[in-house]
Amino acid sequence: MMNQLFQQIRILDPIVAIDRIGSERVADILVIDGVMEEVSQTTQLPANLNITPAQHLILAPGLVDLYSHSGTPGHEERETIASLLAAATAGGFVSLNILPDTLPALDRASSIVSLDREYHQIAAQIPNCPQLGYWGALTRGVEGKTMTELAELASTNIIGWADGHSIANLALVHRLLEYLQPFNRPIGLYALDRTLRGNGIARAGVAALKYGLPVDPVSSEAAALAATIEIIADIGTPVHLMRISTRRGVEIIAAAKQRGVPITASTTWLHLIANTTHLATYDPNFKLDPPLGTPDDQIALIEGIKMGVLDAIAIDHSPYTYEEKTVAFGEAPPGAIGLELALPLLWQNLVVPGKLSALELWAALSTKPAQCLHQSPPTQLILFDPQKTWSVTTNNLKSLAHNTAWLGREIIGKVNCQYSRSTYL
């Protein structure tokens, strides 16, 4: 591997709140055999050195995704483990954690062991391969009816428990939190009242009415969230609340945190850069679960990240085949890919216009997700070029699935590569 010297590179480090930008605060970074360290007066530079001016590049910790979906096992036509890992690597993710709604579901120890074996076989062939983590299912078949063998799953290397789907039976949620308390591992819950949602596919508001789409009221999130938080407060088991999508949801979480309820929370990247006005095109790639919020919801979610009410941004990468997604909006399955697109689009939509600082965005994508998972901050670094323009095409995407509204468009921002570090930057 060629030795490399990056001159005057911008360093982002959300762990110690450092954003080294400007001529007096940037650094020269030396890479030897893929290991990176900051150049000091005592650093011995090798003779064989490729020097790269890097004033436009950003060096920062690798990204961590709280939850996404895998096509393997059961739907390899959507996404294989190899393509999932390749997409994560291309997007700057060094840790990826998949939900258990595979086929069969990850609701038994044998399913976890089998998938983990396949991952390690593939990872051995991929340089800088992301760490793959697994959420064990809370309920059998992730159907929300019967508890899994929680202790059996705990004997595997799962990161924690989550169905990725809402559990309607609140008595079951109560029992789950009681039984899981001694294990001291992350628990993810998606709070949604499906009876209030009904057949709604668009968040209630002016846009949904204008476009003639069945509405999903704010109360479908708010009522379930409030009830779930009361259960958490009653038992005291820490929980991560997934997919917050409304202003009311942010308000409920803020009040619960102020009360000392042991919760963390996340929204997804698409809910931060899109809203119900994007449904004007009826693009099925904007059909999500939960649905996109109103413009006011979007503002509240961004404020929630900025203020720390929402701890992290999840990708919720949801791959589907062309045939599955190329249908009428109402018939399409909810979800879109995002591992390769999230960082550049979030940067352009939030950091460039000043809605979030670079450190705020990076923390929400890197160090804070790791904290939500009870894990140490990432030790790998990524190199991000926020000025590089590239086309989102089937040839350029590493993901096997291409269900994104940005297909065929140009976006700005690209992860160049990943490195290990020998000294803390």
Side-chain angles (χ1 to χ4, degrees):
M1 184 178 294
M2 182 177 291
N3 297 327
Q4 190 93 6
L5 178 65
F6 292 101
Q7 291 183 318
Q8 301 295 288
I9 199 168
R10 177 181 178 182
I11 295 176
L12 287 178
D13 195 335
I15 300 173
V16 289
I18 289 177
D19 181 357
R20 295 170 65 169
I21 183 172
S23 60
E24 296 181 358
R25 302 171 64 193
V26 294
D28 291 346
I29 300 297
L30 179 65
V31 181
I32 300 178
D33 295 331
V35 178
M36 179 174 281
E37 62 180 307
E38 187 171 350
V39 174
S40 67
Q41 293 181 346
T42 60
T43 302
Q44 295 293 320
L45 298 180
N48 181 21
L49 192 62
N50 184 30
I51 300 175
T52 302
Q55 292 91 339
H56 63 293
L57 298 180
I58 293 171
L59 180 68
L63 309 183
V64 176
D65 183 29
L66 280 169
Y67 44 88
S68 278
H69 302 264
S70 170
T72 303
H75 287 290
E76 285 79 3
E77 72 280 4
R78 295 175 180 170
E79 192 84 277
T80 65
I81 290 296
S83 66
L84 182 70
L85 294 172
T89 302
F93 289 88
V94 298
S95 177
L96 178 66
N97 300 282
I98 59 173
L99 292 165
D101 56 347
T102 51
L103 187 66
L106 302 182
D107 58 2
R108 296 177 298 167
S110 59
S111 299
I112 300 291
V113 171
S114 175
L115 186 58
D116 193 47
R117 184 183 303 116
E118 181 176 353
Y119 158 67
H120 282 289
Q121 290 173 348
I122 295 170
Q125 306 171 36
I126 301 176
N128 296 317
C129 183
Q131 179 65 42
L132 187 64
Y134 319 99
W135 289 96
L138 287 164
T139 66
R140 292 180 183 175
V142 296
E143 295 176 349
K145 297 177 180 178
T146 308
M147 282 191 295
T148 56
E149 295 293 338
L150 302 173
E152 177 189 323
L153 285 170
S155 68
T156 69
N157 63 342
I158 60 169
I159 58 167
W161 289 268
D163 271 7
H165 300 284
S166 60
I167 300 175
N169 186 341
L170 293 180
L172 177 57
V173 173
H174 195 285
R175 289 198 300 273
L176 283 164
L177 296 189
E178 286 180 326
Y179 290 145
L180 289 174
Q181 191 173 60
F183 293 106
N184 194 32
R185 294 194 198 182
I187 302 166
L189 293 177
Y190 174 29
L192 167 68
D193 189 323
R194 294 193 178 276
T195 60
L196 286 171
R197 169 179 283 184
N199 66 345
I201 56 175
R203 186 62 70 198
V206 174
L209 293 174
K210 180 179 179 181
Y211 306 139
L213 297 170
V215 299
D216 181 352
V218 170
S219 57
S220 70
E221 175 172 287
L225 197 56
T228 302
I229 286 173
E230 289 307 312
I231 295 172
I232 298 167
D234 181 38
I235 299 172
T237 304
V239 167
H240 180 80
L241 296 167
M242 308 163 63
R243 303 189 181 111
I244 305 305
S245 64
T246 65
R247 175 176 288 277
R248 185 62 189 134
V250 175
E251 292 170 349
I252 291 171
I253 289 168
K257 285 189 170 184
Q258 192 170 19
R259 288 167 50 198
V261 181
I263 56 172
T264 56
S266 60
T267 188
T268 82
W269 75 284
L270 273 171
H271 286 86
L272 292 169
I273 66 170
N275 58 55
T276 48
T277 63
H278 289 78
L279 304 182
T281 61
Y282 300 96
D283 187 334
N285 293 308
F286 281 129
K287 183 183 179 184
L288 307 177
D289 181 17
L292 288 171
T294 65
D296 184 60
D297 290 326
Q298 182 186 7
I299 291 170
L301 294 173
I302 296 170
E303 291 173 346
I305 291 292
K306 190 174 188 67
M307 301 304 295
V309 175
L310 300 179
D311 299 87
I313 301 170
I315 307 306
D316 211 4
H317 178 86
S318 303
Y320 288 101
T321 65
Y322 176 83
E323 291 76 16
E324 287 176 304
K325 268 293 192 178
T326 312
V327 294
F329 185 89
E331 299 174 4
I337 61 170
L339 289 170
E340 299 168 77
L341 307 173
L343 177 57
L345 287 172
L346 286 167
W347 187 276
Q348 286 299 315
N349 284 273
L350 300 182
V351 176
V352 171
K355 297 176 182 178
L356 290 179
S357 71
L359 277 176
E360 287 167 342
L361 175 63
W362 218 278
L365 285 169
S366 179
T367 53
K368 288 188 175 181
Q371 291 172 3
C372 292
L373 295 168
H374 305 175
Q375 296 176 355
S376 301
T379 57
Q380 284 180 293
L381 299 165
I382 63 172
L383 202 59
F384 176 60
D385 186 345
Q387 298 178 11
K388 184 174 182 179
T389 300
W390 61 286
S391 298
V392 182
T393 65
T394 55
N395 289 332
N396 287 340
L397 288 171
K398 302 298 182 182
S399 174
L400 189 62
H402 304 132
N403 53 303
T404 173
W406 280 267
L407 189 65
R409 296 163 63 179
E410 286 192 343
I411 62 175
I412 303 173
K414 187 72 173 174
V415 172
N416 285 358
C417 48
Q418 297 181 14
Y419 298 102
S420 300
R421 55 178 162 186
S422 61
T423 56
Y424 188 76
L425 301 175

